[in-house]
Amino acid sequence: MKFSQVMVLALVLLTTHAPAQDWIGRPRPDRTTSTPEGDGLAPPIMNAWQREILDLDGDWNVQIDPFDSGSLNYLSENRRDGWWQDRERTRPEQLIEYNFDATPVLRVPGDWNTQRDDLFFYEGTVWYRRTFESGTTPEGKRRFIRFGAANRHATVWLNGKRLGAHHVGFTPFAFEVTGKLAEGENSLVVRVDNRRRFEDVPAIRTDWWNYGGITREVGLLEVPETFISSWELRLEDGDLVGWAKLDGPGADGGFVRVSVEEIGAVTTGFGAEPELRIRSSSIDRLEVWSPERPRLYDVVIQSVEDVVSDRIGFREIETEGRGIVLNGEPVFLRGICIHEESLDGGGRAWSERHARELLGLAKELGCNYVRLAHYTHNEWMTRIADELGLMVWGEIPVYWEMQFGNEVTQAFAKAHVEEMIERDRNRASVVIWSVGNENRARPVQTEFRARLAKIARELDSSRLISAACFARLKRDEDGKLARVSVEDPFGEYADVLAINQYIGWYGNHSSDVAGMVVDTAWEKPLLFSEFGAGIKQGLRGDSEEVWTEEFGVRFYSDHLDWCDELRDAGALQGISPWILKDFRSPRRPLGGVQDWWNRKGLVSEAGVPKDVFGVVGERYRQWAEEDATRP
């Protein structure tokens, strides 16, 4: 991307919000709003894409609106005749200053930044319009319009009537349209605003691209009048334990049957019951899920009116002292960090193909684990990870600096945690929930993350809690780096300690890591959640010259040797270098080298391996062989 392309500065919109309510979540959340601003949201609809569905993906007409003319008049007052009405000019004298039929189109799912050069840097409002044919809702059925995600503030209208709004940019949301659909053509209008705001999560500054748009699938779903909206089934102390939730008339007393037919496991209960339990005598033949054998079972959940299914693996993850234990056996996490960007020119990844390409590279690297940074990735990523046997660190964008003392910011973060867990609670691959990245260790940040950790545990006690923290470097009497000290007080609330460190890239020399000791204030497992260096694929030079392939090989060789030392000493339980592929970032403008890409990937933006890909892959194969032969 050349500097001559159009750059549009972000407009920071400061708004007033109601105070956050109900800070502590519940194990089975009844979510109707995601933040104090969100409204009209339907209950969760798990496994939505297996429902009867009218696909609304494809080309949508769009109108760019940097001054919010579609919502506000010239006095900045709310309009009564906004663009959501999708009006047509019917008289010669009629003045209507928009016409969706005459506007260009953008592909949905997709971000607007990589579909049009003039929108590359754009942050603001874009109006999307799609028309579709639909009959009225049949008797005994309900219909919902569901979005996989829209970044970041989305307001939705159907036939000129407001359905509601959602303000978390990386999770699904839906609106009920039963009784609201017209016979024949319907107009669906979505206002998407990706402007960064100080009170948002994430806030103003990030090191990844703020992709705007309807970035995941959209569909019109049809379900029974009382349907199975969400469920959970997990392995716990030799039992299969879970619940199923109905939505609709008589939901609280509705009959539910959960079965895993392959092992002859069946249980029944009612929608209001907090727990359904299949005793261990029924599941003697159950095979646990693991990276070596990612076993999945077909689970069927049935009610009087509805039946749904899921592919679920069963495993237990816990800690013992400084170790991580999967299904009763110690495990070392050979990982890689991943941003949700496709390999075909960048832009937001969203499809099954994108997920298979990204996670396929991780498997080729020799990983048994991936860190999905720094937000909730699309659902294909966790489902394909289930299939491939990749353990997953799921994360919310509590990133760098935010308004940690602001109740609105707290509510946004709470919504991120609830909606991430709500969607992926049945994915065996997900073993860690992360509630932050590189937040300073001040009391307000610590309290903020501690509250989120408490919410996550109440929603899901079957996974580990962590956050990527800073570490403190300490020197000996001669001034030589001697130790890494993990002191962030959030460690008290985490199950797994995790630190990001860039010794040898942001200061010092990579060889300084040799022999360094890691001190932690807690007897808990430690992960290196990030380390890495910028490398331009194909750039050659001396091993001391930054950006070169040779520099990268030296850097990674030094760090992996150090990880070897710590691993052998039992002081390190996993690593996830930063990052799988080069990704777009507005903080990386260096012409001829970065060109708006963060160059720390092990492969280029197009997926071409750098020399370090082989260096890391060889070490991972060595570690895998060592782990396989240990008694």
Side-chain angles (χ1 to χ4, degrees):
M1 186 59 59
K2 297 179 180 179
F3 287 95
S4 59
Q5 290 178 297
V6 176
M7 298 180 65
V8 181
L9 298 178
L11 300 175
V12 178
L13 181 58
L14 299 175
T15 58
T16 302
H17 304 271
Q21 301 293 326
D22 189 25
W23 173 250
I24 302 302
R26 291 176 291 166
R28 294 169 57 194
D30 295 309
R31 177 178 60 82
T32 55
T33 65
S34 63
T35 73
E37 286 187 304
D39 63 88
L41 297 171
I45 306 176
M46 199 173 280
N47 285 26
W49 306 115
Q50 72 172 231
R51 297 290 189 172
E52 185 173 337
I53 187 168
L54 174 64
D55 186 349
L56 297 179
D57 295 343
D59 289 340
W60 289 52
N61 292 93
V62 295
Q63 180 63 62
I64 316 304
D65 189 15
F67 277 19
D68 273 329
S69 298
S71 299
L72 304 173
N73 65 19
Y74 72 103
L75 295 175
S76 295
E77 300 167 334
N78 291 328
R79 294 182 58 159
R80 297 180 179 179
D81 59 344
W83 295 357
W84 58 84
Q85 293 183 339
D86 191 14
R87 297 171 63 198
E88 295 182 2
R89 186 167 173 246
T90 57
R91 304 185 308 276
E93 72 278 10
Q94 194 173 18
L95 178 61
I96 300 175
E97 294 186 282
Y98 68 96
N99 180 2
F100 282 115
D101 289 332
T103 63
V105 298
L106 286 175
R107 184 182 63 255
V108 171
D111 60 270
W112 64 58
N113 310 83
T114 56
Q115 293 192 56
R116 281 174 45 178
D117 286 351
D118 62 325
L119 298 180
F120 184 65
F121 288 99
Y122 182 71
E123 293 183 304
T125 297
V126 174
W127 294 78
Y128 286 75
R129 196 285 308 264
R130 163 80 190 247
T131 59
F132 61 95
E133 297 284 331
S134 173
T136 55
T137 306
E139 185 176 354
K141 299 289 186 179
R142 295 165 68 187
R143 285 179 175 170
F144 297 84
I145 290 177
R146 182 183 186 272
F147 297 79
N151 191 42
R152 151 176 348 180
H153 301 273
T155 310
V156 183
W157 293 265
L158 177 68
N159 299 324
K161 303 295 184 182
R162 191 178 189 274
L163 297 178
H166 184 255
H167 306 281
V168 178
F170 305 100
T171 47
F173 59 99
F175 303 99
E176 184 162 8
V177 294
T178 306
K180 300 178 181 179
L181 291 161
E183 190 75 46
E185 185 175 84
N186 289 265
S187 168
L188 181 62
V189 175
V190 184
R191 175 188 180 274
V192 182
D193 179 2
N194 76 329
R195 281 173 287 192
R196 294 164 292 129
R197 303 176 184 180
F198 287 103
E199 72 273 22
D200 270 359
V201 176
I204 294 297
R205 188 174 298 276
T206 65
D207 193 14
W208 72 84
W209 211 263
N210 183 26
Y211 290 113
I214 303 174
T215 54
R216 297 179 192 158
E217 303 97 327
V218 185
L220 175 65
L221 279 60
E222 185 172 286
V223 298
E225 188 174 23
T226 299
F227 68 98
I228 304 166
S229 65
S230 58
W231 57 89
E232 179 180 23
L233 196 61
R234 68 181 187 276
L235 184 63
E236 181 181 289
D237 299 329
D239 293 348
L240 289 182
V241 178
W243 49 263
K245 183 176 180 182
L246 303 177
D247 187 89
D252 286 347
F255 172 82
V256 176
R257 179 182 188 271
V258 179
S259 62
V260 189
E261 299 291 353
E262 192 172 347
I263 59 173
V266 178
T267 188
T268 59
F270 296 90
E273 293 183 359
E275 185 175 88
L276 302 170
R277 183 174 290 267
I278 301 175
R279 295 295 175 186
S280 56
S281 60
S282 302
I283 59 171
D284 292 338
R285 298 189 303 277
L286 182 74
E287 295 180 53
V288 292
W289 181 97
S290 70
E292 295 73 30
R293 184 170 173 76
R295 186 70 162 87
L296 301 175
Y297 289 90
D298 290 316
V299 177
V300 178
I301 306 97
Q302 189 170 4
S303 68
V304 173
E305 296 183 38
D306 197 13
V307 59
V308 291
S309 63
D310 205 349
R311 293 275 289 167
I312 300 177
F314 302 105
R315 54 98 191 98
E316 291 184 282
I317 189 80
E318 54 192 340
T319 65
E320 289 183 2
R322 292 185 181 270
I324 298 175
V325 178
L326 177 68
N327 302 320
E329 299 293 332
V331 62
F332 186 87
L333 307 186
R334 308 184 307 273
I336 191 70
C337 294
I338 301 177
H339 260 304
E340 192 187 45
E341 280 199 352
S342 69
L343 292 173
D344 50 4
R348 184 65 73 212
W350 61 270
S351 69
E352 179 181 7
R353 175 178 65 84
H354 292 148
R356 291 193 182 280
E357 289 174 347
L358 291 169
L359 297 179
L361 273 176
K363 289 289 288 186
E364 183 182 342
L365 185 64
C367 295
N368 64 1
Y369 159 70
V370 291
R371 178 189 177 202
L372 301 184
H374 286 295
Y375 38 76
T376 304
H377 288 217
N378 68 83
E379 192 171 355
W380 284 113
M381 292 292 280
T382 51
R383 287 189 173 274
I384 302 302
D386 275 4
E387 289 183 26
L388 297 180
L390 287 165
M391 293 177 284
V392 169
W393 160 308
E395 187 166 319
I396 62 170
V398 173
Y399 184 88
W400 287 356
E401 282 301 309
M402 304 192 311
Q403 292 188 346
F404 294 98
N406 187 328
E407 289 184 331
V408 173
T409 304
Q410 294 169 3
F412 273 120
K414 176 177 179 283
H416 276 277
V417 170
E418 289 179 340
E419 296 182 17
M420 173 179 68
I421 293 176
E422 182 178 279
R423 195 197 71 183
D424 285 342
R425 63 171 68 252
N426 288 307
R427 305 282 67 82
S429 55
V430 180
V431 297
I432 297 174
W433 299 125
S434 170
V435 297
N437 178 78
E438 295 184 354
N439 312 122
R440 287 187 283 185
R442 294 174 174 172
V444 65
Q445 281 96 331
T446 300
E447 181 183 3
F448 190 97
R449 291 173 292 166
R451 287 180 173 180
L452 294 175
K454 183 176 182 180
I455 290 170
R457 283 199 179 91
E458 292 196 356
L459 292 170
D460 178 12
S461 61
S462 68
R463 292 177 172 89
L464 307 177
I465 304 297
S466 191
C469 300
F470 289 116
R472 188 182 300 276
L473 302 182
K474 296 186 176 180
R475 300 180 181 271
D476 60 20
E477 294 178 354
D478 298 325
K480 183 180 183 300
L481 286 178
R483 63 185 63 244
V484 175
S485 184
V486 183
E487 303 172 359
D488 190 320
F490 178 73
E492 182 69 28
Y493 306 94
D495 298 309
V496 176
L497 309 175
I499 59 170
N500 297 349
Q501 58 83 17
Y502 286 89
I503 302 170
W505 180 247
Y506 297 124
N508 303 297
H509 193 280
S510 64
S511 62
D512 291 338
V513 300
M516 288 183 65
V517 175
V518 178
D519 287 334
T520 68
W522 304 272
E523 286 289 319
K524 296 180 178 182
L526 173 67
L527 305 178
F528 283 167
S529 40
E530 288 182 29
F531 65 88
I535 307 159
K536 177 71 178 291
Q537 188 271 321
L539 181 63
R540 296 295 171 182
D542 187 85
S543 64
E544 298 296 319
E545 184 181 352
V546 296
W547 306 116
T548 65
E549 297 261 22
E550 289 76 12
F551 178 94
V553 168
R554 177 182 59 73
F555 176 96
Y556 267 95
S557 297
D558 289 341
H559 273 266
L560 291 171
D561 287 346
W562 181 38
C563 292
D564 250 335
E565 297 172 13
L566 297 172
R567 171 181 146 92
D568 289 344
L572 185 66
Q573 301 305 321
I575 65 173
S576 50
W578 188 262
I579 186 170
L580 180 65
K581 68 172 287 289
D582 292 350
F583 61 95
R584 293 193 186 274
S585 171
R587 298 187 70 249
R588 311 294 174 173
L590 180 60
V593 176
Q594 293 171 315
D595 298 315
W596 307 112
W597 296 96
N598 185 310
R599 294 295 183 189
K600 294 188 181 73
L602 301 189
V603 303
S604 73
E605 66 272 21
V608 179
K610 303 175 187 179
D611 292 351
V612 293
F613 187 90
V615 172
V616 176
E618 180 58 35
R619 193 66 60 105
Y620 279 5
R621 283 183 282 276
Q622 173 192 324
W623 289 349
E625 291 171 2
E626 291 174 359
D627 289 344
T629 57
R630 284 178 178 168

